[in-house]
Coordinates of all heavy atoms in Angstrom, one line a residue:
V54 N -9.2 10.6 39.6 CA -7.8 11.1 39.5 C -7.8 12.3 38.6 O -8.4 12.3 37.5 CB -7.0 10.0 38.9 CG1 -5.6 10.5 38.6 CG2 -7.0 8.8 39.8
T55 N -7.1 13.3 39.0 CA -6.8 14.4 38.1 C -5.4 14.3 37.5 O -4.5 14.3 38.2 CB -6.9 15.8 39.0 OG1 -8.1 15.8 39.6 CG2 -6.7 17.0 38.1
M56 N -5.4 14.2 36.2 CA -4.2 13.9 35.5 C -3.4 15.2 35.2 O -2.4 15.2 34.7 CB -4.4 13.1 34.2 CG -4.9 11.8 34.5 SD -3.8 10.7 35.4 CE -3.2 9.7 34.0
G57 N -4.0 16.4 35.6 CA -3.3 17.6 35.4 C -3.0 18.0 34.0 O -2.0 18.6 33.7
G58 N -3.9 17.6 33.1 CA -3.7 17.9 31.7 C -2.5 17.2 31.1 O -1.9 17.7 30.2
L59 N -2.2 16.0 31.5 CA -1.1 15.2 31.0 C -1.3 14.7 29.6 O -0.5 14.5 28.8 CB -0.7 14.0 31.9 CG -0.3 14.4 33.3 CD1 -0.1 13.1 34.1 CD2 1.0 15.2 33.2
F60 N -2.6 14.5 29.3 CA -3.0 14.1 27.9 C -3.7 15.2 27.2 O -4.3 16.1 27.8 CB -4.0 12.9 28.0 CG -3.5 11.6 28.5 CD1 -3.9 11.2 29.8 CD2 -2.6 10.8 27.8 CE1 -3.4 10.0 30.3 CE2 -2.2 9.6 28.2 CZ -2.6 9.2 29.5
E61 N -3.6 15.2 25.9 CA -4.5 16.0 25.1 C -5.0 15.2 24.0 O -4.3 14.4 23.4 CB -3.7 17.3 24.6 CG -2.5 16.9 23.6 CD -1.8 18.2 23.2 OE1 -2.1 19.3 23.7 OE2 -0.9 18.0 22.4
R62 N -6.2 15.4 23.6 CA -6.8 14.6 22.5 C -6.3 15.2 21.2 O -6.0 16.4 21.1 CB -8.3 14.7 22.5 CG -8.9 14.0 23.7 CD -10.3 13.9 23.7 NE -10.8 13.4 25.0 CZ -11.6 12.3 25.1 NH1 -11.9 11.6 24.1 NH2 -12.0 12.0 26.3
A63 N -6.2 14.3 20.2 CA -5.7 14.7 18.9 C -6.6 15.8 18.3 O -6.2 16.5 17.4 CB -5.6 13.5 18.0
G64 N -7.8 15.9 18.7 CA -8.8 17.0 18.2 C -9.4 16.6 16.9 O -9.7 15.5 16.6
N65 N -9.4 17.6 16.0 CA -10.1 17.5 14.7 C -9.1 16.9 13.7 O -9.5 16.8 12.5 CB -10.6 18.8 14.2 CG -11.7 19.3 15.1 OD1 -12.4 18.6 15.7 ND2 -11.8 20.7 15.1
V66 N -8.0 16.5 14.0 CA -7.0 15.9 13.1 C -7.5 14.5 12.8 O -7.8 13.7 13.7 CB -5.6 15.9 13.8 CG1 -4.6 15.2 12.8 CG2 -5.2 17.3 14.2
P67 N -7.5 14.1 11.5 CA -7.9 12.8 11.1 C -6.9 11.8 11.8 O -5.7 12.0 11.7 CB -7.8 12.7 9.6 CG -7.8 14.2 9.2 CD -7.3 15.0 10.3
T68 N -7.4 10.7 12.4 CA -6.5 9.7 13.0 C -6.7 8.4 12.3 O -7.7 8.1 11.6 CB -6.9 9.6 14.5 OG1 -8.3 9.2 14.6 CG2 -6.7 10.9 15.2
R69 N -5.7 7.5 12.5 CA -5.7 6.3 11.8 C -6.6 5.2 12.5 O -7.2 4.5 11.8 CB -4.2 5.7 11.8 CG -3.3 6.5 11.0 CD -1.9 5.9 11.2 NE -1.6 6.2 12.6 CZ -0.4 6.4 13.1 NH1 0.6 6.4 12.4 NH2 -0.3 6.7 14.4
N70 N -6.7 5.2 13.8 CA -7.3 4.1 14.4 C -8.6 4.4 15.2 O -9.6 3.7 15.1 CB -6.4 3.4 15.4 CG -5.2 2.8 14.7 OD1 -5.4 2.1 13.7 ND2 -4.0 3.1 15.1
N71 N -8.6 5.5 15.9 CA -9.8 5.9 16.7 C -9.9 7.4 16.8 O -8.9 8.1 16.7 CB -9.7 5.1 18.0 CG -8.7 5.6 19.0 OD1 -8.7 6.7 19.4 ND2 -7.7 4.7 19.3

Side-chain angles (χ1 to χ4, degrees):
V54 175
T55 303
M56 296 295 258
L59 295 175
F60 291 109
E61 63 182 6
R62 293 188 191 238
N65 295 332
V66 178
T68 58
R69 291 173 298 210
N70 298 310
N71 68 65

